[in-house]
Amino acid sequence: MKRIFTKISLYGLVISTALLTGCLGDEIRGTDDGSGSETTDSTIPGNSVIDARVFEALNLDLPELASVKAYYESDQYYLAAQALLNYFRTRTQVNANVNLIAPSITAEEQARADWALPVTGDAQDGYRFWVDGYADGDRPYSYQTGSKLDWTKRATAETEERFRLHRLQWMIPQGKAYRTTLDENYVTSWMSVYESWLETFPLPAGDYDFNADPSSQPEEVREALYAWRPIDVSYRLADQCDLIYYFMQSTAFTPQMLASYLSNLVEQAGHVMNHYSENGEELAQESYAVWRAGTIFPEMKQAAEWVKSG
């Protein structure tokens, strides 16, 4: 199929290609095989590593996304996601909540960020996540058993605690800790936990009462329903609108993560908007989160709808 590009689109594609040359790292560049000679490995990750839903959610007709569209339509999803990541990395002034020039973090936020780091060695209580209103004495709750993150470890916990776990309130402190220290451990730790969360708690498909106590719902979706109560999703969504700007400058933040991150963000915004609360205070938080997603990510097809709804 023939495609006609405007001068702007062609310029965007050239710039993106130049950026990609410097960003794909060892996946594209030659590597030393240990013999003193350089070997060339030009293998680009396949389409299966990218959550392609992100491209369906984007308004790819925007001139600034011309290179993303070109790679996507030529069936090169990884390069499309890399071009999208490059685009966001140059868009650091859009979010007024995030100060990347002179980042700061409070002592309390630093402590929350550090609790969420994994513990090495024989320790059994790594990943102590702060949950508003709950703690093990003076320490945040632990959700790790052995070396594996166990999201159901607090299976006997109070219902409200299990809901609030899924607000992922430690994300913003970790983002701030990374920006103030540039310690990649905060990025890789967050990515590991977030990927585990995405895999463990997909949005249940079906006609469920998402505001009801999950203990009264079918067992196979019970844990996921804790994660998708609209009010908790709204808190998580509002934080995620800020978080991407803290982490995406890191070399550890990959095109794969961006694709998963934005796909999940779009899913959350739609979920909240379709399940607005009748409670005035909760509705205010939920509509704010949806509005924020639309204003921070105007590249999304539904951005105008989200802003209007909020």
Side-chain angles (χ1 to χ4, degrees), residues 18-73:
L19 288 170
L20 282 169
T21 302
C23 292
L24 286 178
D26 289 337
E27 292 166 322
I28 301 297
R29 293 195 295 268
T31 57
D32 190 339
D33 63 5
S35 64
S37 61
E38 191 177 74
T39 60
T40 301
D41 180 6
S42 58
T43 301
I44 297 174
N47 290 349
S48 62
V49 305
I50 300 296
D51 187 337
R53 293 180 302 169
V54 67
F55 303 120
E56 297 300 322
L58 289 166
N59 180 3
L60 293 177
D61 290 328
L62 293 174
E64 55 267 35
L65 297 183
S67 59
V68 179
K69 181 178 182 179
Y71 284 124
Y72 173 59
E73 291 188 342

Side-chain angles (χ1 to χ4, degrees), residues 108-288:
E108 183 179 40
E109 288 173 326
Q110 184 67 60
R112 291 172 179 172
D114 291 341
W115 278 118
L117 291 174
V119 177
T120 58
D122 296 328
Q124 301 294 302
D125 63 350
Y127 294 115
R128 283 188 168 271
F129 300 142
W130 171 64
V131 179
D132 188 19
Y134 300 90
D136 285 331
D138 61 348
R139 302 190 297 176
Y141 275 127
S142 173
Y143 286 85
Q144 179 165 310
T145 300
S147 60
K148 180 178 174 57
L149 188 66
D150 183 359
W151 293 97
T152 65
K153 186 175 180 182
R154 298 293 303 176
T156 59
E158 296 178 30
T159 297
E160 195 64 26
E161 175 202 328
R162 295 181 71 187
F163 278 129
R164 291 188 182 184
L165 165 67
H166 298 290
R167 293 186 181 184
L168 310 188
Q169 294 167 300
W170 56 89
M171 294 193 304
I172 291 295
Q174 281 187 298
K176 288 184 176 181
Y178 166 66
R179 289 303 303 166
T180 53
T181 66
L182 297 183
D183 184 342
E184 294 289 342
N185 286 321
Y186 292 109
V187 183
T188 54
S189 173
W190 168 77
M191 287 176 61
S192 177
V193 172
Y194 187 59
E195 287 175 330
S196 172
W197 185 88
L198 286 174
E199 180 180 348
T200 309
F201 301 105
L203 175 62
D207 186 17
Y208 299 104
D209 182 353
F210 286 93
N211 289 294
D213 184 342
S215 64
S216 64
Q217 304 276 14
E219 185 175 356
E220 61 270 17
V221 296
R222 194 170 298 162
E223 288 299 327
L225 289 174
Y226 278 109
W228 287 91
R229 186 173 67 163
I231 185 59
D232 299 291
V233 176
S234 70
Y235 279 101
R236 184 169 70 236
L237 176 63
D239 279 352
Q240 280 188 260
C241 289
D242 293 343
L243 190 70
I244 189 173
Y245 288 91
Y246 287 116
F247 280 152
M248 68 180 170
Q249 300 297 336
S250 166
T251 55
F253 192 86
T254 63
Q256 296 98 311
M257 177 53 67
L258 177 66
S260 295
Y261 188 98
L262 290 178
S263 296
N264 180 242
L265 183 141
V266 170
E267 192 170 44
Q268 291 181 90
H271 178 72
V272 173
M273 190 171 65
N274 291 330
H275 297 88
Y276 276 140
S277 173
E278 295 181 359
N279 178 293
E281 187 174 331
E282 290 188 0
L283 177 59
Q285 167 62 32
E286 291 169 352
S287 59
Y288 166 75

